Amino acid sequence: IVIVMENYEKTWHDLRKFLGSILLFKGLKIHYLSIPDRIASTRHIEQYGLDFDDATAYQAMKIHKIKEIVSYDEHFDKIRDIKRRTPQELLSR
C-alpha cells in the first residue's frame, strides 16, 4: 500500500499517518521476519525473480500457510502455490 501511495506522490507525512493507523486495527497481527526468514527469502528471489519485498511477503505467507494475496503486483503470478487477487476482485464478490 505504501508503494502505491508513493506512486500517487503522497508525502512522508501521509505515509507516516497511514502506517501509524495500522496500529489501531483490532485483531491485526504483525509478523516480523527473522534473519533466517530473510535469508530464506533470497531463495525466492533466485527461483521466481522477485524483488526482496515480494520475496519476504512470500516467505511470510509460507510460514503462515497463506495461499492467497491481495495485490496489484503481477510478480506474484509466477508462484504456482499462491493465488493473487486484486482489490477489485474482492469488491465484486
Side-chain angles (χ1 to χ4, degrees), residues 18-35:
F18 168 73
L19 291 169
S21 73
I22 290 174
L23 298 173
L24 302 175
F25 284 91
K26 293 182 180 180
L28 177 69
K29 294 180 183 176
I30 298 173
H31 176 80
Y32 296 97
L33 288 178
S34 66
I35 295 299

Side-chain angles (χ1 to χ4, degrees), residues 2-52:
V2 172
I3 292 169
V4 172
M5 290 175 70
E6 284 185 313
N7 290 340
Y8 282 95
E9 300 180 3
K10 296 297 181 181
T11 67
W12 62 267
H13 183 263
D14 296 324
L15 301 178
R16 180 183 292 172
K17 185 176 179 180
F18 168 73
L19 291 169
S21 73
I22 290 174
L23 298 173
L24 302 175
F25 284 91
K26 293 182 180 180
L28 177 69
K29 294 180 183 176
I30 298 173
H31 176 80
Y32 296 97
L33 288 178
S34 66
I35 295 299
D37 291 331
R38 292 172 192 272
I39 292 168
S41 297
T42 63
R43 286 190 290 256
H44 311 313
I45 295 170
E46 177 185 17
Q47 184 175 5
Y48 299 109
L50 302 174
D51 63 23
F52 189 68

Side-chain angles (χ1 to χ4, degrees), residues 40-79:
S41 297
T42 63
R43 286 190 290 256
H44 311 313
I45 295 170
E46 177 185 17
Q47 184 175 5
Y48 299 109
L50 302 174
D51 63 23
F52 189 68
D53 287 338
D54 293 348
T56 55
Y58 178 53
Q59 180 63 24
M61 291 174 69
K62 288 179 64 91
I63 291 166
H64 294 286
K65 297 177 175 50
I66 296 169
K67 297 293 183 185
E68 292 185 339
I69 187 167
V70 178
S71 176
Y72 288 115
D73 192 335
E74 294 178 358
H75 293 119
F76 289 109
D77 296 342
K78 300 176 189 177
I79 306 170

